[in-house]
Amino acid sequence: DEMLFNVSSRSMASKTPVGFVGLGNMGTPMAKNLLKNGYPVIATDVFPESRKELQDTGAQVVDSPADVAEKADRIITMLPSSPNVIEVYTGPNGILKKVKKGTLLIDSSTIDPAVSKEMAVAAEKMGAVFMDAPVSGGVGAASMGKLTFMVGGVEQEYNAAQELLTCMGANVVYCGQVGTGQAAKICNNMLLAIGMIGTAETMNLGIRLGLDPKLLAKILNMSSGRCWSSDTYNPVPGVMEGVPSANSYQGGFGTTLMAKDLGLAQNTATNTKTTIPLGSLAHQIYRVMCARGYANKDFSSVFQFLREEEGQ
């Protein structure tokens, strides 16, 4: 009997409140999945509209990250960029102003790994544990709880993080020390951008040479040139259904976000004296696209951009 009691009391105890800071396109569906899994959520966001939506779903909303830290000893942050993360953790109303000893801090933002390491050091000084856990999968996967989390941090703390992350994602992968989650995400997205640009150029050349785009895609996908951008996310309108290229490049993974991730790849490459000729070029191409009206289109719109550059 005692055994039974222990197991049930532990599963009850695990549903203590979880803090959530950053209720944007990704944070809101992620926090909703925690609520669905029976975790009380204490949340905040700089925009009152974002708070309201989550409050209506049953979360307790507070005014600042410091207030979240006062009420929860497990906190997830999901923010747009490095400066936001620094502010939310170390700012005047930041988490570390009120954090309790032993608190687990999980940052799912995509930021520079060097900033993740700084946050981990600052958290450690307050007796808290910081882990980076950036995601791949986008808004759709966030809603369905199908994200992939790449986690960096002290391995002993990984199980505690995994318990929460599995409520929001289908895959949770431990990558190593703090910052390695970010590193994995940045490397993947650099290759994704290079592959997408290569696929767009290739499809465009083939079409100009008189090949039918569907036939060309079919041949590429049974040949050594095959990649995710050619077989799962083809950038040419009419080749595949259910992808952004079939819907005027709406939805998906925005060009702005890809440019941001490539900027991180460029920074990390500079800091580690690593040559990334194609990564750098991909960064420039996506930055030009942002300036030319593609900012809010899916990153596969590079195909449309190339055609436009040729004036056709």
Side-chain angles (χ1 to χ4, degrees):
D1 269 352
E2 193 179 344
M3 185 64 209
L4 277 174
F5 168 73
N6 273 344
V7 169
S8 65
S9 70
R10 180 178 303 144
S11 66
M12 287 306 292
S14 72
K15 305 287 189 188
T16 55
V18 177
F20 210 106
V21 182
L23 305 171
N25 294 335
M26 295 294 289
T28 295
M30 287 166 67
K32 283 181 179 172
N33 281 324
L34 286 172
L35 287 164
K36 269 186 209 143
N37 279 278
Y39 290 93
V41 171
I42 297 161
T44 194
D45 189 277
V46 286
F47 298 110
E49 321 77 90
S50 306
R51 297 186 205 176
K52 174 111 180 66
E53 183 182 349
L54 208 67
Q55 197 167 16
D56 295 345
T57 322
Q60 182 190 344
V61 167
V62 295
D63 287 336
S64 72
D67 296 339
V68 173
E70 237 177 342
K71 293 183 160 65
D73 59 9
R74 294 179 294 180
I75 302 169
I76 296 161
T77 53
M78 186 47 142
L79 303 154
S81 61
S82 299
N84 309 102
V85 171
I86 293 167
E87 174 73 13
V88 159
Y89 280 93
T90 63
N93 294 310
I95 289 170
L96 298 181
K97 281 279 178 281
K98 296 271 178 80
V99 74
K100 296 184 270 203
K101 274 198 171 36
T103 296
L104 177 63
L105 305 166
I106 303 171
D107 179 38
S108 285
S109 321
T110 298
I111 59 169
D112 193 307
V115 175
S116 300
K117 288 176 188 166
E118 280 171 37
M119 295 304 103
V121 170
E124 199 177 357
K125 283 181 183 152
M126 304 304 294
V129 176
F130 178 95
M131 303 186 94
D132 59 307
V135 301
S136 71
V139 176
S143 301
M144 294 185 297
K146 296 246 173 88
L147 293 166
T148 294
F149 287 90
M150 291 146 277
V151 186
V154 180
E155 196 164 7
Q156 293 85 299
E157 303 294 339
Y158 174 62
N159 286 345
Q162 196 177 17
E163 178 204 329
L164 293 179
L165 299 179
T166 46
C167 296
M168 301 179 287
N171 304 302
V172 183
V173 185
Y174 180 69
C175 298
Q177 62 185 16
V178 171
T180 54
Q182 300 294 351
K185 160 88 187 255
I186 291 166
C187 288
N188 177 74
N189 282 17
M190 180 173 85
L191 182 57
L192 175 59
I194 294 168
M196 180 55 79
I197 296 167
T199 301
E201 286 185 12
T202 299
M203 292 296 297
N204 189 39
L205 177 61
I207 292 163
R208 294 287 294 276
L209 293 172
L211 285 160
D212 172 76
K214 269 191 172 163
L215 175 74
L216 176 54
K218 184 181 162 187
I219 293 166
L220 291 174
N221 292 338
M222 60 171 76
S223 307
S224 52
R226 183 183 67 83
C227 64
W228 188 84
S229 295
S230 72
D231 75 1
T232 306
Y233 212 82
N234 200 287
V236 181
V239 169
M240 291 180 74
E241 285 171 24
V243 292
S245 62
N247 184 31
S248 313
Y249 301 105
Q250 298 306 301
F253 183 60
T255 295
T256 311
L257 291 171
M258 182 53 95
K260 172 204 152 184
D261 288 357
L262 290 166
L264 291 171
Q266 184 63 72
N267 289 347
T268 55
T270 302
N271 293 339
T272 55
K273 299 187 170 57
T274 309
T275 51
I276 51 162
L278 292 181
S280 296
L281 187 53
H283 180 215
Q284 296 307 321
I285 290 170
Y286 277 104
R287 286 185 59 175
V288 172
M289 285 173 66
C290 288
R292 297 272 180 88
Y294 290 83
N296 297 320
K297 293 187 174 184
D298 178 73
F299 80 108
S300 63
S301 64
V302 65
F303 174 77
Q304 193 183 19
F305 173 72
L306 286 173
R307 310 266 298 183
E308 197 182 280
E309 289 297 285
E310 299 167 339
Q312 47 160 20

